Amino acid sequence: MTQVVKAQRHPRDSLLRSERLPHIWCPGCGIGIVMAAYADAIEASGIPPEKHVCISGIGCTGRVSGYMRLDSFHTTHGRAIAFATGLSLVRPDLEVTVISGDGDICTIGGNHLIHAARRNVDINVIMVNNFNYGMTGGQHGGTTPLGAKTYTSPYGNFEAPFNMPYLVAAAGASFVARWTTLHVRQLINAIKRMMSVEGFAFIEVISPCPPTFGEFNNFPEAIDMMEYFRKYSVVDHNADLSKIDIRLQGEPLVVGNFVDRRRPSYQELVQETIRKASGRGESV
Amino acid sequence: MSSGLPRPGVHFMMGNFACVEAAILAGCRFFAGYPITPSSEIFERACVRFPQVGGIAVEMEDEMASVAALIGAAYAGAKAMTATSGPGFSLMMENIGLAFIMEAPIVIVNVQRAGPSTGIPTLIGQGDVMQARWGSHGDIETVVYSPSSVQEFFDLTIKAFNTAERLRTPVIVLADQLVGLMWEKVVIPTAEDVEVVERKIMDPRLLSTRPPFDYSVDVNPMPIVGTGCRVNIDSLTHDERGYPTTSQEISDKMLRYLLGKIRNHARELWMYKEFMTDDAEVVVVAYGSTARSSLNAIKQARARGIKAGLLQLITLWPFPSDVIERLSQRVNALVVPEINFGQLVHPVREYAKCPVINVNWAPGSLIEPHVILDAVEVAAA
């Protein structure tokens, strides 16, 4: 006889569109951990939920926005940061967070990423890096480690990947961090910190993807990559960012809050321009 | 201290400048652009003028980003616009589709130049007529206005914002290099005399009793961020709650609602002008700068004893089918000159009940009146 067990409500249910659950992510996927960390950070931020906006692009991580009970936008592939820029320029009082995957943020959206970092647009970007295009079945992208096998690198990936914290720091971001889905506490704290940073804030979250990446790269089970994180992660907030490439070959996986600095945000500078120009239109 | 609004009265102004002054009067306060000839004066003037009225004008990294930023700004409550030309217009197609499915009221100005690809940036063309309608993938409907003078560029920019706000949809002003760069007389009305339409805003309190997307209504009110609506706005086909779906029944409902917003309002969107058509036996159907040469051509034809007229189409899309159908029943022929190799002539042929002659010339210059006159004479013979 089937017994119906009523599950307890999740403490973050008020921030989730719980009627949409269960989510679409595969067993062992790390995206749910990141989404929960985001919800925890919202709760801890002290900023009311109606002042938070969640924007995603396309892909597995792109589905996060649709599960968050916030003002949320599921946009086109790669364009979430540009969308967020327009939105937050008009409403700089809102806490705007972009959550999307490595293919979306780094590869197809890479140009938007570096320019938003250069301008120091006051938004938060959480990039879940699972080293491949998962939703389309497992193809290589701009963060796939050298030698990794995917459906479009069947003999091993021969393209050098981006070292994301190094790239985004060089482009001018105010806050840059990297954590893995094993470092839940640190991740929540880093997301919370992002929400108080006035400027471009970026976190790379390294995540397992058992069925479309792990399977072909010695991490077939959910636990395998988490075990790798446990074994090889090194916390170093002062790391030399030029030396923190990820090869997944047993080298130190350097994580930490690497950059936290203050320079004027794009929104502040745009408002300053309006102050300079206002009332000067009579010659028209 | 100045209000920053344009001074009412008679001005001598470039078309691209007039477009910006019109946008300010229409209430636009957000511009995101990427420089491109021959539209850059719009962007440059917006950078001077928008901050003077408390608005924002920013440069993005490309045209995909510009339109994405507009949609974000629109959902933050602003009226938003960009300006571009052919190559940039091609890049915008992705997010024009996004604005359509997200029902974002935005305005895109395309100052058309010559040729495919990067073509001839400094010369005139009318080759983006079909792209403005069919350029974005899937089934979308667009509203497209085409000005033939600086005054029309001014008036239609205001009209474009009003239509975008009323129907919650992207609207395109399809200008051309001549209209954009020409200096001409323009009359700017006082702000009180300008009809400005504001979008209907979603009241978050209503969301406990109604879904954010009711596909049985004409146009849904727009949820604005930060007001407590907490609605999901999706690029995927979505149900009445805004959630992604693969249900074919819901997909059909959503598409009919989105397309219906324009199709059901087509008759009120149609704008056109008729010159000497009452007794005409041959009518030239033209738009944009070509309407200017055409007006000259029909006057010359009249001087030669040919009963010629001009139908200037201002709304290109949704295509004013009834106007063509009605007119073509009482004339012997229609002549369609375009600075392209045959675009709007196709829907004209679809609806015309009389022979249709196309006149095509697109190396980068206007069609001279004598070329149109020749075609009118052939049609009248």
Side-chain angles (χ1 to χ4, degrees), chain A residues 111 115 119, chain B residues 31-37 39-40 43-44 58-67 81-85 87-88 91-92:
Chain A
N111 202 36
H115 285 283
R119 296 181 184 118
Chain B
F31 192 108
Y34 187 87
I36 187 166
T37 305
S39 74
S40 295
F43 183 19
E44 289 170 2
V58 291
E59 186 161 306
M60 298 301 288
E61 51 277 10
D62 58 41
E63 289 87 345
M64 297 174 286
S66 296
V67 179
M81 77 177 294
T82 189
T84 190
S85 190
L91 290 179
M92 288 179 181

PDB file of all heavy atoms in Angstrom, chain A residues 111 115 119, chain B residues 31-37 39-40 43-44 58-67 81-85 87-88 91-92:
ATOM      1  N   ASN A 111      31.833  38.811 -23.977  1.00  0.00           N
ATOM      2  CA  ASN A 111      32.062  40.231 -24.253  1.00  0.00           C
ATOM      3  C   ASN A 111      31.259  41.118 -23.298  1.00  0.00           C
ATOM      4  O   ASN A 111      31.763  42.125 -22.810  1.00  0.00           O
ATOM      5  CB  ASN A 111      31.679  40.544 -25.704  1.00  0.00           C
ATOM      6  CG  ASN A 111      32.348  41.801 -26.214  1.00  0.00           C
ATOM      7  OD1 ASN A 111      33.499  42.073 -25.862  1.00  0.00           O
ATOM      8  ND2 ASN A 111      31.645  42.568 -27.006  1.00  0.00           N
ATOM      9  N   HIS A 115      32.984  43.762 -20.415  1.00  0.00           N
ATOM     10  CA  HIS A 115      32.652  45.191 -20.469  1.00  0.00           C
ATOM     11  C   HIS A 115      31.883  45.644 -19.226  1.00  0.00           C
ATOM     12  O   HIS A 115      32.064  46.775 -18.765  1.00  0.00           O
ATOM     13  CB  HIS A 115      31.902  45.520 -21.761  1.00  0.00           C
ATOM     14  CG  HIS A 115      32.823  45.531 -22.946  1.00  0.00           C
ATOM     15  ND1 HIS A 115      33.672  46.577 -23.191  1.00  0.00           N
ATOM     16  CD2 HIS A 115      33.088  44.598 -23.885  1.00  0.00           C
ATOM     17  CE1 HIS A 115      34.412  46.299 -24.266  1.00  0.00           C
ATOM     18  NE2 HIS A 115      34.068  45.098 -24.697  1.00  0.00           N
ATOM     19  N   ARG A 119      33.256  48.534 -16.808  1.00  0.00           N
ATOM     20  CA  ARG A 119      32.444  49.698 -16.409  1.00  0.00           C
ATOM     21  C   ARG A 119      32.163  49.713 -14.916  1.00  0.00           C
ATOM     22  O   ARG A 119      31.664  50.690 -14.392  1.00  0.00           O
ATOM     23  CB  ARG A 119      31.099  49.660 -17.154  1.00  0.00           C
ATOM     24  CG  ARG A 119      31.206  49.791 -18.642  1.00  0.00           C
ATOM     25  CD  ARG A 119      29.822  49.767 -19.301  1.00  0.00           C
ATOM     26  NE  ARG A 119      29.971  49.792 -20.738  1.00  0.00           N
ATOM     27  CZ  ARG A 119      29.561  48.847 -21.576  1.00  0.00           C
ATOM     28  NH1 ARG A 119      28.940  47.783 -21.100  1.00  0.00           N
ATOM     29  NH2 ARG A 119      29.765  48.955 -22.860  1.00  0.00           N
TER      30      ARG A 119
ATOM     31  N   PHE B  31      18.407  55.570 -23.297  1.00  0.00           N
ATOM     32  CA  PHE B  31      18.942  55.270 -24.624  1.00  0.00           C
ATOM     33  C   PHE B  31      20.169  54.384 -24.429  1.00  0.00           C
ATOM     34  O   PHE B  31      21.057  54.702 -23.644  1.00  0.00           O
ATOM     35  CB  PHE B  31      19.348  56.575 -25.325  1.00  0.00           C
ATOM     36  CG  PHE B  31      19.649  56.416 -26.799  1.00  0.00           C
ATOM     37  CD1 PHE B  31      18.776  56.904 -27.768  1.00  0.00           C
ATOM     38  CD2 PHE B  31      20.819  55.780 -27.223  1.00  0.00           C
ATOM     39  CE1 PHE B  31      19.046  56.754 -29.121  1.00  0.00           C
ATOM     40  CE2 PHE B  31      21.096  55.620 -28.573  1.00  0.00           C
ATOM     41  CZ  PHE B  31      20.212  56.115 -29.525  1.00  0.00           C
ATOM     42  N   ALA B  32      20.211  53.249 -25.123  1.00  0.00           N
ATOM     43  CA  ALA B  32      21.419  52.425 -25.137  1.00  0.00           C
ATOM     44  C   ALA B  32      21.792  52.246 -26.599  1.00  0.00           C
ATOM     45  O   ALA B  32      20.945  51.846 -27.403  1.00  0.00           O
ATOM     46  CB  ALA B  32      21.176  51.076 -24.476  1.00  0.00           C
ATOM     47  N   GLY B  33      23.015  52.576 -26.963  1.00  0.00           N
ATOM     48  CA  GLY B  33      23.361  52.554 -28.373  1.00  0.00           C
ATOM     49  C   GLY B  33      24.734  51.997 -28.664  1.00  0.00           C
ATOM     50  O   GLY B  33      25.524  51.692 -27.760  1.00  0.00           O
ATOM     51  N   TYR B  34      24.974  51.861 -29.945  1.00  0.00           N
ATOM     52  CA  TYR B  34      26.275  51.464 -30.458  1.00  0.00           C
ATOM     53  C   TYR B  34      26.447  52.266 -31.743  1.00  0.00           C
ATOM     54  O   TYR B  34      25.537  52.286 -32.576  1.00  0.00           O
ATOM     55  CB  TYR B  34      26.315  49.958 -30.732  1.00  0.00           C
ATOM     56  CG  TYR B  34      27.683  49.457 -31.101  1.00  0.00           C
ATOM     57  CD1 TYR B  34      28.590  49.071 -30.114  1.00  0.00           C
ATOM     58  CD2 TYR B  34      28.093  49.392 -32.433  1.00  0.00           C
ATOM     59  CE1 TYR B  34      29.859  48.636 -30.440  1.00  0.00           C
ATOM     60  CE2 TYR B  34      29.361  48.954 -32.766  1.00  0.00           C
ATOM     61  CZ  TYR B  34      30.235  48.578 -31.773  1.00  0.00           C
ATOM     62  OH  TYR B  34      31.501  48.145 -32.097  1.00  0.00           O
ATOM     63  N   PRO B  35      27.582  52.964 -31.915  1.00  0.00           N
ATOM     64  CA  PRO B  35      27.690  53.888 -33.052  1.00  0.00           C
ATOM     65  C   PRO B  35      27.628  53.166 -34.394  1.00  0.00           C
ATOM     66  O   PRO B  35      28.219  52.095 -34.543  1.00  0.00           O
ATOM     67  CB  PRO B  35      29.086  54.506 -32.868  1.00  0.00           C
ATOM     68  CG  PRO B  35      29.559  54.103 -31.517  1.00  0.00           C
ATOM     69  CD  PRO B  35      28.807  52.892 -31.114  1.00  0.00           C
ATOM     70  N   ILE B  36      26.904  53.750 -35.340  1.00  0.00           N
ATOM     71  CA  ILE B  36      26.904  53.221 -36.701  1.00  0.00           C
ATOM     72  C   ILE B  36      26.375  54.290 -37.662  1.00  0.00           C
ATOM     73  O   ILE B  36      25.374  54.953 -37.384  1.00  0.00           O
ATOM     74  CB  ILE B  36      26.092  51.898 -36.812  1.00  0.00           C
ATOM     75  CG1 ILE B  36      26.252  51.277 -38.202  1.00  0.00           C
ATOM     76  CG2 ILE B  36      24.627  52.098 -36.479  1.00  0.00           C
ATOM     77  CD1 ILE B  36      25.779  49.821 -38.293  1.00  0.00           C
ATOM     78  N   THR B  37      27.075  54.452 -38.761  1.00  0.00           N
ATOM     79  CA  THR B  37      26.680  55.378 -39.816  1.00  0.00           C
ATOM     80  C   THR B  37      25.493  54.788 -40.591  1.00  0.00           C
ATOM     81  O   THR B  37      25.514  53.578 -40.861  1.00  0.00           O
ATOM     82  CB  THR B  37      27.858  55.568 -40.796  1.00  0.00           C
ATOM     83  OG1 THR B  37      28.995  55.977 -40.030  1.00  0.00           O
ATOM     84  CG2 THR B  37      27.555  56.583 -41.873  1.00  0.00           C
ATOM     85  N   SER B  39      23.414  56.626 -38.534  1.00  0.00           N
ATOM     86  CA  SER B  39      22.461  56.901 -37.446  1.00  0.00           C
ATOM     87  C   SER B  39      23.142  57.548 -36.245  1.00  0.00           C
ATOM     88  O   SER B  39      22.473  57.908 -35.284  1.00  0.00           O
ATOM     89  CB  SER B  39      21.794  55.594 -36.988  1.00  0.00           C
ATOM     90  OG  SER B  39      22.706  54.827 -36.233  1.00  0.00           O
ATOM     91  N   SER B  40      24.470  57.669 -36.273  1.00  0.00           N
ATOM     92  CA  SER B  40      25.212  58.034 -35.059  1.00  0.00           C
ATOM     93  C   SER B  40      24.789  59.364 -34.446  1.00  0.00           C
ATOM     94  O   SER B  40      24.894  59.547 -33.233  1.00  0.00           O
ATOM     95  CB  SER B  40      26.718  58.071 -35.346  1.00  0.00           C
ATOM     96  OG  SER B  40      27.156  56.773 -35.674  1.00  0.00           O
ATOM     97  N   PHE B  43      22.394  58.905 -31.593  1.00  0.00           N
ATOM     98  CA  PHE B  43      23.064  58.456 -30.371  1.00  0.00           C
ATOM     99  C   PHE B  43      23.835  59.612 -29.726  1.00  0.00           C
ATOM    100  O   PHE B  43      23.728  59.866 -28.517  1.00  0.00           O
ATOM    101  CB  PHE B  43      23.986  57.286 -30.741  1.00  0.00           C
ATOM    102  CG  PHE B  43      24.699  56.642 -29.591  1.00  0.00           C
ATOM    103  CD1 PHE B  43      24.268  56.789 -28.282  1.00  0.00           C
ATOM    104  CD2 PHE B  43      25.809  55.833 -29.838  1.00  0.00           C
ATOM    105  CE1 PHE B  43      24.934  56.157 -27.240  1.00  0.00           C
ATOM    106  CE2 PHE B  43      26.474  55.213 -28.811  1.00  0.00           C
ATOM    107  CZ  PHE B  43      26.045  55.376 -27.507  1.00  0.00           C
ATOM    108  N   GLU B  44      24.571  60.368 -30.574  1.00  0.00           N
ATOM    109  CA  GLU B  44      25.371  61.480 -30.042  1.00  0.00           C
ATOM    110  C   GLU B  44      24.488  62.534 -29.388  1.00  0.00           C
ATOM    111  O   GLU B  44      24.786  63.032 -28.296  1.00  0.00           O
ATOM    112  CB  GLU B  44      26.186  62.121 -31.171  1.00  0.00           C
ATOM    113  CG  GLU B  44      27.314  61.241 -31.671  1.00  0.00           C
ATOM    114  CD  GLU B  44      27.971  61.768 -32.951  1.00  0.00           C
ATOM    115  OE1 GLU B  44      27.565  62.844 -33.434  1.00  0.00           O
ATOM    116  OE2 GLU B  44      28.865  61.094 -33.460  1.00  0.00           O
ATOM    117  N   VAL B  58      23.600  55.625 -22.720  1.00  0.00           N
ATOM    118  CA  VAL B  58      24.855  54.885 -22.533  1.00  0.00           C
ATOM    119  C   VAL B  58      25.238  54.126 -23.797  1.00  0.00           C
ATOM    120  O   VAL B  58      24.390  53.795 -24.628  1.00  0.00           O
ATOM    121  CB  VAL B  58      24.758  53.875 -21.363  1.00  0.00           C
ATOM    122  CG1 VAL B  58      24.663  54.605 -20.035  1.00  0.00           C
ATOM    123  CG2 VAL B  58      23.608  52.912 -21.548  1.00  0.00           C
ATOM    124  N   GLU B  59      26.530  53.865 -23.893  1.00  0.00           N
ATOM    125  CA  GLU B  59      27.059  53.109 -25.024  1.00  0.00           C
ATOM    126  C   GLU B  59      27.284  51.668 -24.586  1.00  0.00           C
ATOM    127  O   GLU B  59      27.952  51.418 -23.590  1.00  0.00           O
ATOM    128  CB  GLU B  59      28.389  53.735 -25.475  1.00  0.00           C
ATOM    129  CG  GLU B  59      28.958  53.111 -26.721  1.00  0.00           C
ATOM    130  CD  GLU B  59      29.990  54.027 -27.383  1.00  0.00           C
ATOM    131  OE1 GLU B  59      29.660  55.200 -27.655  1.00  0.00           O
ATOM    132  OE2 GLU B  59      31.119  53.566 -27.601  1.00  0.00           O
ATOM    133  N   MET B  60      26.731  50.740 -25.337  1.00  0.00           N
ATOM    134  CA  MET B  60      26.915  49.324 -25.008  1.00  0.00           C
ATOM    135  C   MET B  60      28.020  48.749 -25.891  1.00  0.00           C
ATOM    136  O   MET B  60      28.562  49.429 -26.743  1.00  0.00           O
ATOM    137  CB  MET B  60      25.609  48.559 -25.186  1.00  0.00           C
ATOM    138  CG  MET B  60      24.476  49.029 -24.285  1.00  0.00           C
ATOM    139  SD  MET B  60      24.843  48.928 -22.499  1.00  0.00           S
ATOM    140  CE  MET B  60      24.783  47.142 -22.216  1.00  0.00           C
ATOM    141  N   GLU B  61      28.334  47.467 -25.679  1.00  0.00           N
ATOM    142  CA  GLU B  61      29.447  46.853 -26.391  1.00  0.00           C
ATOM    143  C   GLU B  61      29.042  46.342 -27.779  1.00  0.00           C
ATOM    144  O   GLU B  61      29.897  46.043 -28.603  1.00  0.00           O
ATOM    145  CB  GLU B  61      30.072  45.723 -25.555  1.00  0.00           C
ATOM    146  CG  GLU B  61      29.101  44.687 -25.014  1.00  0.00           C
ATOM    147  CD  GLU B  61      28.435  45.136 -23.710  1.00  0.00           C
ATOM    148  OE1 GLU B  61      28.582  46.306 -23.330  1.00  0.00           O
ATOM    149  OE2 GLU B  61      27.752  44.298 -23.090  1.00  0.00           O
ATOM    150  N   ASP B  62      27.762  46.219 -28.023  1.00  0.00           N
ATOM    151  CA  ASP B  62      27.272  45.832 -29.350  1.00  0.00           C
ATOM    152  C   ASP B  62      25.757  46.028 -29.376  1.00  0.00           C
ATOM    153  O   ASP B  62      25.160  46.410 -28.370  1.00  0.00           O
ATOM    154  CB  ASP B  62      27.661  44.386 -29.730  1.00  0.00           C
ATOM    155  CG  ASP B  62      27.152  43.363 -28.731  1.00  0.00           C
ATOM    156  OD1 ASP B  62      26.013  43.506 -28.264  1.00  0.00           O
ATOM    157  OD2 ASP B  62      27.890  42.406 -28.428  1.00  0.00           O
ATOM    158  N   GLU B  63      25.156  45.745 -30.527  1.00  0.00           N
ATOM    159  CA  GLU B  63      23.720  46.007 -30.677  1.00  0.00           C
ATOM    160  C   GLU B  63      22.852  44.964 -29.983  1.00  0.00           C
ATOM    161  O   GLU B  63      21.698  45.238 -29.663  1.00  0.00           O
ATOM    162  CB  GLU B  63      23.357  46.109 -32.164  1.00  0.00           C
ATOM    163  CG  GLU B  63      23.871  47.372 -32.849  1.00  0.00           C
ATOM    164  CD  GLU B  63      25.282  47.251 -33.411  1.00  0.00           C
ATOM    165  OE1 GLU B  63      26.008  46.296 -33.048  1.00  0.00           O
ATOM    166  OE2 GLU B  63      25.672  48.115 -34.216  1.00  0.00           O
ATOM    167  N   MET B  64      23.401  43.760 -29.773  1.00  0.00           N
ATOM    168  CA  MET B  64      22.636  42.767 -29.020  1.00  0.00           C
ATOM    169  C   MET B  64      22.466  43.267 -27.589  1.00  0.00           C
ATOM    170  O   MET B  64      21.387  43.189 -26.997  1.00  0.00           O
ATOM    171  CB  MET B  64      23.365  41.425 -29.024  1.00  0.00           C
ATOM    172  CG  MET B  64      23.503  40.854 -30.417  1.00  0.00           C
ATOM    173  SD  MET B  64      24.493  39.350 -30.495  1.00  0.00           S
ATOM    174  CE  MET B  64      26.141  39.990 -30.287  1.00  0.00           C
ATOM    175  N   ALA B  65      23.570  43.808 -27.051  1.00  0.00           N
ATOM    176  CA  ALA B  65      23.538  44.348 -25.689  1.00  0.00           C
ATOM    177  C   ALA B  65      22.617  45.555 -25.603  1.00  0.00           C
ATOM    178  O   ALA B  65      21.893  45.721 -24.617  1.00  0.00           O
ATOM    179  CB  ALA B  65      24.951  44.727 -25.244  1.00  0.00           C
ATOM    180  N   SER B  66      22.631  46.405 -26.648  1.00  0.00           N
ATOM    181  CA  SER B  66      21.781  47.605 -26.609  1.00  0.00           C
ATOM    182  C   SER B  66      20.321  47.219 -26.410  1.00  0.00           C
ATOM    183  O   SER B  66      19.640  47.756 -25.537  1.00  0.00           O
ATOM    184  CB  SER B  66      21.894  48.394 -27.917  1.00  0.00           C
ATOM    185  OG  SER B  66      23.189  48.882 -28.081  1.00  0.00           O
ATOM    186  N   VAL B  67      19.836  46.290 -27.226  1.00  0.00           N
ATOM    187  CA  VAL B  67      18.418  45.948 -27.141  1.00  0.00           C
ATOM    188  C   VAL B  67      18.120  45.193 -25.846  1.00  0.00           C
ATOM    189  O   VAL B  67      17.079  45.411 -25.218  1.00  0.00           O
ATOM    190  CB  VAL B  67      17.941  45.173 -28.390  1.00  0.00           C
ATOM    191  CG1 VAL B  67      16.461  44.804 -28.272  1.00  0.00           C
ATOM    192  CG2 VAL B  67      18.156  46.024 -29.643  1.00  0.00           C
ATOM    193  N   MET B  81      14.872  53.510 -25.941  1.00  0.00           N
ATOM    194  CA  MET B  81      15.072  53.462 -27.392  1.00  0.00           C
ATOM    195  C   MET B  81      16.528  53.233 -27.751  1.00  0.00           C
ATOM    196  O   MET B  81      17.433  53.433 -26.938  1.00  0.00           O
ATOM    197  CB  MET B  81      14.629  54.771 -28.041  1.00  0.00           C
ATOM    198  CG  MET B  81      15.614  55.908 -27.861  1.00  0.00           C
ATOM    199  SD  MET B  81      15.127  57.445 -28.699  1.00  0.00           S
ATOM    200  CE  MET B  81      15.206  56.996 -30.422  1.00  0.00           C
ATOM    201  N   THR B  82      16.735  52.825 -29.010  1.00  0.00           N
ATOM    202  CA  THR B  82      18.064  52.768 -29.582  1.00  0.00           C
ATOM    203  C   THR B  82      17.953  53.194 -31.041  1.00  0.00           C
ATOM    204  O   THR B  82      16.847  53.344 -31.573  1.00  0.00           O
ATOM    205  CB  THR B  82      18.693  51.370 -29.455  1.00  0.00           C
ATOM    206  OG1 THR B  82      20.067  51.442 -29.841  1.00  0.00           O
ATOM    207  CG2 THR B  82      17.981  50.352 -30.340  1.00  0.00           C
ATOM    208  N   ALA B  83      19.117  53.417 -31.668  1.00  0.00           N
ATOM    209  CA  ALA B  83      19.132  53.753 -33.094  1.00  0.00           C
ATOM    210  C   ALA B  83      20.281  53.011 -33.747  1.00  0.00           C
ATOM    211  O   ALA B  83      21.328  52.788 -33.123  1.00  0.00           O
ATOM    212  CB  ALA B  83      19.296  55.250 -33.289  1.00  0.00           C
ATOM    213  N   THR B  84      20.082  52.618 -35.001  1.00  0.00           N
ATOM    214  CA  THR B  84      21.094  51.814 -35.668  1.00  0.00           C
ATOM    215  C   THR B  84      20.946  51.930 -37.177  1.00  0.00           C
ATOM    216  O   THR B  84      20.137  52.707 -37.686  1.00  0.00           O
ATOM    217  CB  THR B  84      20.999  50.346 -35.207  1.00  0.00           C
ATOM    218  OG1 THR B  84      22.140  49.630 -35.687  1.00  0.00           O
ATOM    219  CG2 THR B  84      19.722  49.678 -35.721  1.00  0.00           C
ATOM    220  N   SER B  85      21.745  51.126 -37.906  1.00  0.00           N
ATOM    221  CA  SER B  85      21.585  50.977 -39.338  1.00  0.00           C
ATOM    222  C   SER B  85      21.811  49.494 -39.676  1.00  0.00           C
ATOM    223  O   SER B  85      22.105  48.703 -38.786  1.00  0.00           O
ATOM    224  CB  SER B  85      22.568  51.889 -40.065  1.00  0.00           C
ATOM    225  OG  SER B  85      22.260  51.920 -41.454  1.00  0.00           O
ATOM    226  N   PRO B  87      23.761  46.776 -40.533  1.00  0.00           N
ATOM    227  CA  PRO B  87      24.496  45.720 -39.827  1.00  0.00           C
ATOM    228  C   PRO B  87      24.100  45.607 -38.354  1.00  0.00           C
ATOM    229  O   PRO B  87      23.996  44.499 -37.810  1.00  0.00           O
ATOM    230  CB  PRO B  87      25.951  46.153 -39.962  1.00  0.00           C
ATOM    231  CG  PRO B  87      25.984  47.024 -41.176  1.00  0.00           C
ATOM    232  CD  PRO B  87      24.668  47.733 -41.199  1.00  0.00           C
ATOM    233  N   GLY B  88      23.867  46.739 -37.715  1.00  0.00           N
ATOM    234  CA  GLY B  88      23.440  46.726 -36.316  1.00  0.00           C
ATOM    235  C   GLY B  88      22.033  46.184 -36.183  1.00  0.00           C
ATOM    236  O   GLY B  88      21.714  45.468 -35.226  1.00  0.00           O
ATOM    237  N   LEU B  91      22.054  42.502 -36.013  1.00  0.00           N
ATOM    238  CA  LEU B  91      22.404  41.984 -34.686  1.00  0.00           C
ATOM    239  C   LEU B  91      21.258  42.140 -33.688  1.00  0.00           C
ATOM    240  O   LEU B  91      21.167  41.405 -32.720  1.00  0.00           O
ATOM    241  CB  LEU B  91      23.644  42.705 -34.147  1.00  0.00           C
ATOM    242  CG  LEU B  91      24.963  42.393 -34.859  1.00  0.00           C
ATOM    243  CD1 LEU B  91      26.094  43.192 -34.223  1.00  0.00           C
ATOM    244  CD2 LEU B  91      25.288  40.914 -34.795  1.00  0.00           C
ATOM    245  N   MET B  92      20.397  43.112 -33.911  1.00  0.00           N
ATOM    246  CA  MET B  92      19.297  43.359 -32.974  1.00  0.00           C
ATOM    247  C   MET B  92      18.163  42.352 -33.088  1.00  0.00           C
ATOM    248  O   MET B  92      17.291  42.297 -32.225  1.00  0.00           O
ATOM    249  CB  MET B  92      18.737  44.767 -33.195  1.00  0.00           C
ATOM    250  CG  MET B  92      19.667  45.846 -32.707  1.00  0.00           C
ATOM    251  SD  MET B  92      18.983  47.475 -33.008  1.00  0.00           S
ATOM    252  CE  MET B  92      20.317  48.490 -32.351  1.00  0.00           C
TER     253      MET B  92
END
